[in-house]
Amino acid sequence: TGIGIYLNQTANVRLDRMQLNGFGNFAIRGFEVAGLSMTGVVVSGTNGNSAAENEGSVVFGAEAGETGGARNGLTGVVSITSCEISGGHEDNLKIRNQSGTLSQLTLTSTTIRDNTTVSPGNNGVLFQADGTANMTVDVVGGSFLRNRANGIQVITNGGGTMDFSTTGGIFTDNNIGVNVAHNSTGTMLFAIGTGTYSATAPGKASPINVNLGAVASGPMTGTVSGNTITNANSSTGPGIRVISNGANAAVLTLQVQGNNISQIGNRGIEMIARDGNSVINATVRSNTVNLTDPLSADGIRIDAGAVSTDTTTICADIAQNTSTTIGGLFGVRV
């Protein structure tokens, strides 16, 4: 019952080849941990029962509304290798910092799957940099399966900064595969590459979502490249969705290149600068979009402004794409 492994103000923790099954609160719970290595750890069963405490399987850090208030999770160098984490009441793996530096977190060849299928079931993985926190995160390979909200969610708030990448992962039956949201005065760097995104039935949202939030003022810069994206012809969201918001003239600069998108009952690639005077600088090159469902929309669509009072700006270089759709809609529409 309770918490399986509790870590509080400790350092250089090593957890190897452990089996943790079904805890009332958390399988692993940590605060102010400096340095961590997890290898071959399996977390299964059902972990957590309180939505108010945001309980889940492996959770580092706390929010203001939880018992004890906001606290840091992980800093220093962290490696999570060849693990399997499932059964979170809310999140399966969550790392949230208020300050300090997570200088390098590497998540390698790990399976994150099957959290609670109804509310409050949430993310497979959450990386969150709040306050003045600085986080560098690389996700290499791995499988992210049937997580209720996002396979991977990456967020900045306050003045938090983030440098995030994911390469070569398998994302299946998550509502969103990878969701990157920038809401801070700091910087957000991201690279979403060479992943495989799919669903076994319609109803899922966008496999890849990039969002420059309304309160952000720091720059957001990244790439979405070399991914294979299908979504069982779901009409719920585009294959790749990019949105900028806000009145702080924040800038989103990104390159969307070499992606292969099909089986989408919506737009293949969608970019919208809206809600104020945000800026998108986009390079859209060498993508293949092939939409054949009757619900499909434009293959590639780019919109500056959502309403007449918006003063958003888009600079777009669109070239060398193969984009087809049906029903008299457009391969490329600007």
Side-chain angles (χ1 to χ4, degrees):
T1 61
I3 297 173
I5 297 174
Y6 180 71
L7 305 170
N8 188 16
Q9 295 183 322
T10 187
N12 302 321
V13 176
R14 178 172 173 173
L15 306 175
D16 287 347
R17 292 167 292 181
M18 305 187 74
Q19 179 86 34
L20 304 170
N21 301 91
F23 293 88
N25 304 122
F26 304 89
I28 301 174
R29 183 64 161 139
F31 304 105
E32 307 289 348
V33 177
L36 169 71
S37 170
M38 288 176 55
T39 304
V41 174
V42 176
V43 178
S44 60
T46 299
N47 299 291
N49 55 38
S50 172
E53 293 294 324
N54 299 304
E55 291 178 351
S57 290
V58 179
V59 177
F60 290 88
E63 300 179 17
E66 297 174 23
T67 301
R71 286 172 285 175
N72 266 5
L74 277 171
T75 56
V77 177
V78 175
S79 64
I80 301 173
T81 306
S82 300
C83 296
E84 181 173 333
I85 302 172
S86 65
H89 185 61
E90 188 167 305
D91 299 314
N92 278 324
L93 172 62
K94 177 179 179 180
I95 299 169
R96 185 177 188 269
N97 286 346
Q98 304 286 327
S99 61
T101 299
L102 180 59
S103 54
Q104 179 64 59
L105 185 153
T106 307
L107 177 67
T108 307
S109 301
T110 290
T111 297
I112 309 289
R113 63 174 181 84
D114 297 298
N115 58 0
T116 302
T117 58
V118 297
S119 181
N122 199 24
N123 301 299
V125 182
L126 173 62
F127 301 116
Q128 186 167 335
D130 295 341
T132 59
N134 184 347
M135 301 175 70
T136 299
V137 176
D138 295 313
V139 178
V140 182
S143 298
F144 304 83
L145 313 174
R146 300 176 296 276
N147 297 286
R148 180 174 178 263
N150 306 286
I152 300 175
Q153 169 84 78
V154 183
I155 302 175
T156 61
N157 293 307
T161 64
M162 179 74 70
D163 185 341
F164 166 79
S165 75
T166 178
T167 55
I170 296 171
F171 299 82
T172 303
D173 284 336
N174 309 282
N175 189 49
I176 295 175
V178 175
N179 191 355
V180 179
H182 183 42
N183 304 296
S184 86
T185 60
T187 60
M188 164 74 86
L189 304 176
F190 67 93
I192 303 169
T194 63
T196 301
Y197 298 78
S198 64
T200 57
K204 303 299 182 182
S206 298
I208 296 176
N209 188 72
V210 176
N211 182 22
L212 177 66
V215 299
S217 58
M220 184 179 193
T221 304
T223 61
V224 180
S225 60
N227 300 285
T228 300
I229 298 171
T230 62
N231 205 22
N233 286 317
S234 174
S235 61
T236 306
I240 298 172
R241 189 171 194 247
V242 178
I243 295 179
S244 68
N245 305 275
N248 295 315
V251 178
L252 168 56
T253 302
L254 79 161
Q255 177 175 318
V256 178
Q257 183 164 343
N259 300 284
N260 192 321
I261 302 169
S262 61
Q263 298 179 37
I264 305 292
N266 199 297
R267 297 167 180 167
I269 299 172
E270 175 185 86
M271 296 185 186
I272 302 176
R274 65 181 190 184
D275 297 344
N277 61 356
S278 61
V279 177
I280 294 179
N281 296 320
T283 301
V284 184
R285 282 182 173 261
S286 303
N287 301 284
T288 299
V289 181
N290 184 20
L291 308 183
T292 60
D293 190 83
L295 295 175
S296 299
D298 301 322
I300 298 171
R301 172 142 175 176
I302 300 180
D303 288 2
V307 297
S308 60
T309 54
D310 286 339
T311 56
T312 55
T313 300
I314 292 182
C315 178
D317 172 11
I318 308 169
Q320 300 170 344
N321 301 284
T322 300
S323 182
T324 59
T325 187
I326 65 172
L329 295 168
F330 298 93
V332 178
R333 189 176 189 187
V334 179

